[in-house]
Amino acid sequence: MSLSDVTTRDTVTIPGPATPYQGDIARYWDHEARPVNLRLGDVDGLYHHHYGIGDVDHAALGEPGAPDREERLIAELHRLESAQTNVLLDHLGPVQRDDTLVDAGCGRGGSMVMAHQRFGCSVEGVTLSVKQADFANRRAKELGIEESVRARVCNMLGMPFATGEAAASWNNESSMYVDLQDLFAEHSRILSVGGRYVTITGCWNPIYGQPSKWVSQINAHFECNIHSRREYLRAMADNRLVPQAVVDLTAETLPYWELRATSSLTTGIEEAFINSYKDGSFQYLLIAADRV
């Protein structure tokens, strides 16, 4: 069966995972249905699986206690998460309409849709989750862009793309599920020489010494393994990815978390994010690197 035939849960199965852990991650995201990921996407049909950046527009929230306050708050949280995607896309560099972009760990496909809407090019996504791929492909079909935007069920450490096929690729809060050496080796393989790789990720701060108790709580909550900032830069250097920009977004993501903590969509992990960002043990980084 071709991976390009991802259409419904009845016709697609996950390829055998390379490790038991990958099987666990596939099951985790196949069963994930947190309202925070769906309610925010319902605002305008862009369904993300990441967090937000930027200042909160308090005027847009209306008056405290107003009947539509929660609806306005959800819309503002969604605006901030789409702003995060736009910052990632800003760092992809020049993209042509005949280019192919790759979203590694594409979730429900919101970033892929935004990339196609901005650049007009083909965008391929990969995820271990059949549920996510089905959702992303169904949404692309609803938008009439299924010929240009597609999600595949596969491992981001072994992507079904030819060597040098991608003009740019990214991980948006998905790199904490894999070994970075393996991940960047694969991005280096699929990228053309001169191609751009971008990641936005939470990472623990090596200056702190070790992952803090807050970082450990985040790992347990999402069943992931957060890497240090140093590990990202070392693994990129080992795999022909030369950083062109390293942007600390920590201060810019705090407003999102502080606003989310006041919403009806809390999941219990908000305190860990807020405290770890404030005590300096956790950072929210964008790294853009060119394939040499």
Side-chain angles (χ1 to χ4, degrees):
M1 180 183 66
S2 170
L3 288 174
S4 65
D5 294 331
V6 176
T7 54
T8 68
R9 290 183 61 82
D10 295 329
T11 60
V12 176
T13 57
I14 299 174
T19 66
Y21 174 70
Q22 291 169 3
D24 288 344
I25 296 307
R27 285 187 289 273
Y28 176 91
W29 287 109
D30 271 341
H31 290 94
E32 183 276 333
R34 293 189 182 95
V36 68
N37 290 322
L38 297 171
R39 287 283 304 281
L40 270 62
D42 288 342
V43 171
D44 62 4
L46 290 170
Y47 293 86
H48 299 299
H49 275 278
H50 59 256
Y51 310 125
I53 60 173
D55 293 330
V56 173
D57 182 354
H58 291 281
L61 298 177
E63 294 297 322
D68 63 347
R69 173 77 174 191
E70 185 67 12
E71 181 180 349
R72 287 171 172 263
L73 192 154
I74 288 170
E76 181 64 4
L77 287 172
H78 181 62
R79 184 186 69 82
L80 296 176
E81 65 175 0
S82 289
Q84 188 259 33
T85 297
N86 276 319
V87 169
L88 187 153
L89 298 180
D90 288 344
H91 284 81
L92 289 182
V95 177
Q96 307 302 318
R97 291 184 66 87
D98 59 351
D99 284 339
T100 296
L101 308 182
V102 173
D103 182 350
C106 63
R108 289 186 170 97
S111 296
M112 292 197 295
V113 173
M114 290 180 66
H116 173 72
Q117 289 174 340
R118 180 186 290 204
F119 302 117
C121 63
S122 295
V123 188
E124 299 272 2
V126 300
T127 173
L128 285 172
S129 169
V130 173
K131 180 180 177 181
Q132 289 184 343
D134 179 65
F135 190 105
N137 287 328
R138 184 171 64 250
R139 186 73 191 113
K141 187 172 183 178
E142 291 168 354
L143 293 170
I145 58 175
E146 69 272 22
E147 296 300 317
S148 299
V149 174
R150 173 177 57 173
R152 306 187 189 212
V153 182
C154 68
N155 183 352
M156 70 174 76
L157 301 183
M159 292 185 276
F161 309 116
T163 298
E165 181 176 349
S169 62
W170 67 84
N171 286 94
N172 196 353
E173 294 183 13
S174 56
S175 57
M176 65 287 297
Y177 286 101
V178 292
D179 177 87
L180 292 181
Q181 289 286 347
D182 294 341
L183 177 67
F184 294 150
E186 182 64 354
H187 278 286
S188 184
R189 183 190 68 80
I190 68 168
L191 282 168
S192 59
V193 174
R196 172 64 57 88
Y197 170 76
V198 179
T199 185
I200 295 182
T201 187
C203 57
W204 64 269
N205 187 352
I207 294 176
Y208 191 81
Q210 289 291 331
S212 68
K213 65 178 182 179
W214 305 116
V215 171
S216 297
Q217 286 183 22
I218 296 168
N219 276 334
H221 184 85
F222 293 105
E223 299 185 23
C224 64
N225 180 32
I226 293 167
H227 307 289
S228 72
R229 183 185 65 215
R230 182 179 296 138
E231 289 175 278
Y232 278 93
L233 298 174
R234 181 184 298 124
M236 286 183 180
D238 289 344
N239 289 283
R240 304 182 68 86
L241 294 170
V242 178
Q244 304 298 309
V246 180
V247 183
D248 189 341
L249 298 171
T250 306
E252 293 186 57
T253 198
L254 260 174
Y256 165 90
W257 283 103
E258 292 171 338
L259 181 64
R260 174 167 150 172
T262 70
S263 77
S264 63
L265 302 176
T266 56
T267 63
I269 200 61
E270 289 77 15
E271 180 186 21
F273 275 91
I274 292 169
N275 288 338
S276 61
Y277 284 142
K278 286 185 174 180
D279 71 15
S281 64
F282 196 41
Q283 295 178 302
Y284 197 53
L285 291 188
L286 178 149
I287 307 174
D290 286 347
R291 166 68 163 88
V292 298

